[in-house]
Amino acid sequence: MKGLQSTTTRPPEISNFPALGSYLSALEHLLPTAVLYTILDSSEQPSCAEDAWSVVVPLPEADKVVVVRIDPSVTSLPGSPPYFWRKPSALRMLKAMERNLEGRGKLHKWPDAVRAAWSLISMHPCRQMSVREVAACLKLSAGYVGARVEHILGSSFNNLLRDERVAASCRLLIESDLRISEIPERVGGLSISQFNRNFSAATGFSPTAYRQRFREADTVMGSFDVQDAVA
């Protein structure tokens, strides 16, 4: 689509809509360089409105819409780990964004509990934590925090945390010479069996196979067939 741009800068229309800005930042965190958007007049018909990789969000108090799209080729910055396996979570978040930013009850900003939980998950995934512990720090119930996180972000607290730890593991597998047996302790103190199980469930690769496949620094997503992934 013409006019699509990266989310590295924010025009006023988006800066004045905090919930949309939070979603764009979170999606960009999941899939670096793969999240694009364009602002259109409401009268314009987005060519990708029926595309599963795109959503159309009306801007409040403006006769405009924002078309947000995930590049289905899911390319990445040169030298960064390939995050092709994040597509399901990113698509769930995209659909949650569409659901929560439309209609009369649309969010203006993320609830404080969700912002706090996402900040901890995305910035400190290797710390030991649970939704119960995060909720206790916020003086809220675990059920409430878990439900709000899943409703706003599209995935459960545990799945988001698992994926962030897998992402950290991907970086260690590619960028360090740590033995695979040393990595679980650095990503939440997991047992080796739990680490292998979580990693394979998320990526479709064993840690050993992932390291062998993607160790080259200039590897980019899209240079392989995901169907070749080995469990």
Side-chain angles (χ1 to χ4, degrees):
M1 174 188 295
K2 290 183 178 180
L4 284 172
Q5 54 190 330
S6 73
T7 59
T8 54
T9 58
R10 298 280 192 264
E13 295 93 335
I14 291 177
S15 298
N16 294 332
F17 194 178
L20 177 57
S22 294
Y23 273 116
L24 290 174
S25 296
L27 287 166
E28 183 69 17
H29 172 81
L30 296 182
L31 293 174
T33 77
V35 182
L36 308 167
Y37 69 84
T38 189
I39 299 175
L40 301 173
D41 290 335
S42 297
S43 58
E44 296 183 67
Q45 179 63 39
S47 60
C48 59
E50 302 302 322
D51 188 339
W53 297 90
S54 304
V55 299
V56 180
V57 177
L59 287 169
E61 300 179 4
D63 193 23
K64 295 182 179 181
V65 298
V66 177
V67 181
V68 181
R69 177 172 173 78
I70 295 175
D71 180 355
S73 67
V74 195
T75 56
S76 111
L77 293 170
S80 65
Y83 291 146
F84 65 90
W85 53 271
R86 281 198 188 265
K87 287 192 289 185
S89 293
L91 285 173
R92 287 194 296 271
M93 187 178 289
L94 193 71
K95 294 308 178 185
M97 178 180 73
E98 181 180 41
R99 179 182 66 246
N100 291 313
L101 300 189
E102 286 189 341
R104 298 177 65 181
K106 60 176 173 281
L107 289 174
H108 179 67
K109 65 178 182 178
W110 284 6
D112 290 344
V114 173
R115 290 192 293 111
W118 174 246
S119 179
L120 285 169
I121 291 170
S122 60
M123 297 178 66
H124 307 288
C126 296
R127 292 183 181 176
Q128 293 190 14
M129 73 176 82
S130 68
V131 66
R132 186 179 299 276
E133 291 168 335
V134 171
C137 290
L138 297 171
K139 295 181 170 40
L140 296 169
S141 73
Y144 172 81
V145 173
R148 294 305 288 161
V149 165
E150 187 159 4
H151 179 74
I152 301 298
L153 301 181
S155 298
S156 70
F157 181 97
N158 287 341
N159 283 346
L160 290 166
L161 181 58
R162 181 204 68 175
D163 283 2
E164 288 304 302
R165 288 174 171 173
V166 168
S169 302
C170 289
R171 290 191 291 272
L172 290 172
L173 288 167
I174 290 176
E175 299 169 6
S176 80
D177 293 321
L178 289 171
R179 294 191 300 272
I180 289 175
S181 61
E182 296 177 287
I183 294 177
E185 182 61 31
R186 301 204 177 198
V187 290
L190 304 177
S191 68
I192 186 66
S193 60
Q194 187 179 15
F195 170 72
N196 286 333
R197 184 167 59 251
N198 287 352
F199 192 93
S200 297
T203 68
F205 285 85
S206 70
T208 299
Y210 187 96
R211 170 172 271 177
Q212 291 172 343
R213 190 71 177 268
F214 304 117
R215 192 63 183 265
E216 292 298 323
D218 60 352
T219 298
V220 295
M221 291 181 285
S223 63
F224 63 95
D225 186 348
V226 175
Q227 299 302 317
D228 290 338
V230 293

